[in-house]
Amino acid sequence: MLLPNGGVAGAASHAEAEFELKGVPPLLLLTEVDIEQRTAPAERLISEIPVLPSSEGERRSEEKEKKLCEILGPFDGEPSAQEMVERLRALDVHSEVRTLQLPAGPGYWVYLEPEPNRKAALRKLAELQSRGVDSYVIPKGEIENGISLGMFSKKSLADSRMAEAERMGLSPRMQTIERTYREVWVMLNHQEDEKMSEISWSRVLEDKKMLQRRENFCLDVAS
């Protein structure tokens, strides 16, 4: 029997039989699917997704990142900071001296391009100083053997220095760098501040009224 597309009915039946023999499952109409399966709530689907617990190492790492320590300072130097460590130790409060590098804002460095070698740089320096130019040889770094014409905290001052050097026939360059400064603090070990009452602090700081108490992330201080 011919089908509308030119096929043979018997051939179609034979093809269906081949699919059945090969284990291909029959098509399932949507109307034949159980209504409960088609309308499963989202909560049920989500609950079936397994939640993998974080490793113990990750959990401890997160806890460590959140640790805060009390810090005291800044001190005028390490000897006075060490004296405070001893005062706290007498109260069974453990702490350490820490030197912190803090941002000081941008600096503007005016300089001349490096000379081929140290000898040439010293010769250039002597020439500049004979003309009254305040300068020095840069001893190391990316512009080693260059000639520094000054470091300035304000760009307007650096621009003035650049203009002055150009009037003298020089070819200065400017580089912006991030400056830092050092402060000495005493950092209490993690949770050691819980041993201190406000009365204890007032006694410890009786002759150190200018010191500040702050909280900061612990910096590898033993807990």
Side-chain angles (χ1 to χ4, degrees):
M1 175 180 176
L2 292 176
L3 297 177
N5 59 2
V8 181
S13 300
H14 179 67
E16 290 174 0
E18 284 187 346
F19 278 109
E20 291 176 0
L21 290 174
K22 291 180 180 179
V24 177
L27 294 176
L28 185 64
L29 298 179
L30 186 61
T31 54
E32 296 175 338
V33 179
D34 188 277
I35 188 66
E36 182 179 354
Q37 294 178 2
R38 287 190 286 124
T39 59
E43 292 81 5
R44 175 182 168 188
L45 297 177
I46 294 174
S47 65
E48 293 175 356
I49 300 175
V51 178
L52 299 178
S54 59
S55 66
E56 183 69 14
E58 291 175 346
R59 185 181 65 80
R60 289 182 179 178
S61 177
E62 290 176 358
E63 290 179 355
K64 184 176 181 181
E65 289 177 359
K66 296 177 182 178
K67 285 184 179 180
L68 293 175
C69 289
E70 185 147 354
I71 61 174
L72 189 64
F75 292 85
D76 55 9
E78 292 192 10
S80 57
Q82 190 60 46
E83 179 188 347
M84 178 58 66
V85 169
E86 297 302 326
R87 286 191 190 186
L88 293 170
R89 185 175 296 157
L91 299 174
D92 194 33
V93 176
H94 302 285
S95 61
E96 292 185 8
V97 176
R98 290 284 173 171
T99 300
L100 306 181
Q101 294 285 346
L102 303 175
Y108 304 94
W109 195 3
V110 179
Y111 64 94
L112 300 179
E113 287 282 9
E115 296 294 327
N117 50 56
R118 179 76 172 178
K119 185 176 181 180
L122 291 173
R123 187 164 54 246
K124 184 69 173 180
L125 177 66
E127 174 194 332
L128 292 171
Q129 291 183 343
S130 68
R131 299 170 63 183
V133 179
D134 186 14
S135 53
Y136 67 87
V137 174
I138 301 169
K140 58 183 178 179
E142 295 181 0
I143 49 179
E144 181 178 351
N145 293 327
I147 306 295
S148 174
L149 301 180
M151 175 74 70
F152 303 90
S153 59
K154 296 181 179 180
K155 191 174 184 299
S156 59
L157 297 176
D159 288 337
S160 296
R161 183 61 162 162
M162 291 272 291
E164 179 185 355
E166 288 170 352
R167 286 194 296 270
M168 299 180 68
L170 303 175
S171 300
R173 299 289 185 90
M174 184 190 301
Q175 180 175 329
T176 303
I177 63 172
E178 291 300 323
R179 299 179 302 148
T180 60
Y181 68 97
R182 296 169 65 252
E183 282 188 351
V184 179
W185 290 72
V186 168
M187 176 172 284
L188 278 64
N189 293 8
H190 181 53
Q191 295 183 334
E192 287 293 286
D193 59 299
E194 296 177 2
K195 300 178 181 179
M196 296 287 289
S197 65
E198 288 303 319
I199 295 177
S200 299
W201 276 120
S202 63
R203 290 174 180 171
V204 167
L205 301 175
E206 186 174 1
D207 58 342
K208 304 284 186 181
K209 302 295 185 182
M210 299 301 294
L211 296 180
Q212 304 172 38
R213 287 170 53 197
R214 300 180 184 174
E215 277 194 331
N216 195 17
F217 291 112
C218 300
L219 302 177
D220 298 326
V221 178
S223 56

